[in-house]
Amino acid sequence: MEDYIKVNIQDYVNKGIENGYLAPFWATKYGRIRARRGIPGEIVKTYTDGGLLEKENIVTLDKATGNPGWILTKCDSEGNIIIDEYGNKNEWIMDDSDFTEEYIQDPNIESVYMSVDGPQLFVQVLTDMIMLQGDKEMCVECGGFINITEFSNCYAISERDFNDTYKILDTENPEHTLN
């Protein structure tokens, strides 16, 4: 991780688009997740493709609903949890209010959910970096993607996870105003 550069995520994306080395594109999520309510204080670790710790988060109560956040785990289309070559599950935390807006129960598999989001806007990362957003840091390996749909709440997805769960749409690079 000594070769990783620290960047402010919004600055990196703005400069990259302005200078033409990052090209926004649209993709849609088709992957499934398993989900369960977390326990306040529970720690969830997320790992990169190379087995490095990407980020560590703690389940908290959602300020909007007062309910604990959800722990999401990437799974295949049959609902089986995917384990990487290092023995890690891909897990992350989502606030209760975001989860209930963004996911619905898969009618065919208990505890498995699918996204209700429409197309989302991304850029692909061109270097290994540590993204700074507020007081949180997240390691992103070269080839990963940054979701810039909601620019004030950008987040990264590893190349492997993006390829496992998203489909790039056949559209020209969109005009997109970042604010």
Side-chain angles (χ1 to χ4, degrees):
M1 286 195 8
E2 59 195 42
D3 294 338
Y4 283 56
I5 59 169
K6 283 192 176 187
V7 300
N8 173 288
I9 189 169
Q10 284 86 5
D11 290 346
Y12 174 81
V13 171
N14 273 327
K15 288 177 185 169
I17 292 172
E18 287 173 13
N19 294 324
Y21 59 84
L22 294 179
F25 64 90
W26 293 98
T28 188
K29 189 171 192 173
Y30 67 86
R32 301 288 190 261
I33 58 153
R34 285 202 166 267
R36 67 172 178 83
R37 280 203 190 272
I39 300 166
E42 185 175 356
I43 297 172
V44 173
K45 295 179 180 180
T46 305
Y47 296 90
T48 67
D49 293 348
L52 297 173
L53 181 65
E54 182 176 75
K55 65 181 175 178
E56 187 173 287
N57 282 319
I58 299 173
V59 175
T60 59
L61 296 178
D62 187 320
K63 292 176 185 171
T65 66
N67 294 322
W70 289 78
I71 297 174
L72 312 182
T73 307
K74 185 172 81 170
C75 64
D76 63 20
S77 61
E78 305 295 316
N80 300 306
I81 294 173
I82 297 172
I83 306 293
D84 70 16
E85 64 269 25
Y86 301 97
N88 300 316
K89 298 183 278 188
N90 183 350
E91 292 188 310
W92 64 101
I93 299 170
M94 182 177 274
D95 286 336
D96 180 58
S97 54
D98 292 336
F99 177 77
T100 56
E101 286 180 17
E102 295 180 25
Y103 287 93
I104 58 171
Q105 172 78 45
D106 184 315
N108 302 312
I109 309 170
E110 187 177 334
S111 299
V112 173
Y113 295 80
M114 50 193 186
S115 176
V116 297
D117 286 342
Q120 297 174 48
L121 195 60
F122 291 90
V123 294
Q124 190 166 22
V125 172
L126 304 174
T127 187
D128 293 334
M129 66 178 63
I130 299 172
M131 293 183 346
L132 304 174
Q133 186 173 27
D135 62 346
K136 294 187 177 182
E137 292 185 351
M138 182 176 183
C139 294
V140 184
E141 292 177 333
C142 181
F145 295 85
I146 301 173
N147 185 319
I148 61 172
T149 308
E150 187 179 321
F151 196 63
S152 63
N153 191 28
C154 296
Y155 61 90
I157 301 171
S158 72
E159 184 174 22
R160 173 201 62 204
D161 294 334
F162 181 90
N163 291 334
D164 285 349
T165 57
Y166 285 87
K167 178 182 178 187
I168 295 174
L169 301 175
D170 274 342
T171 61
E172 294 295 317
N173 286 332
E175 296 279 330
H176 189 71
T177 304
L178 303 175
N179 40 4

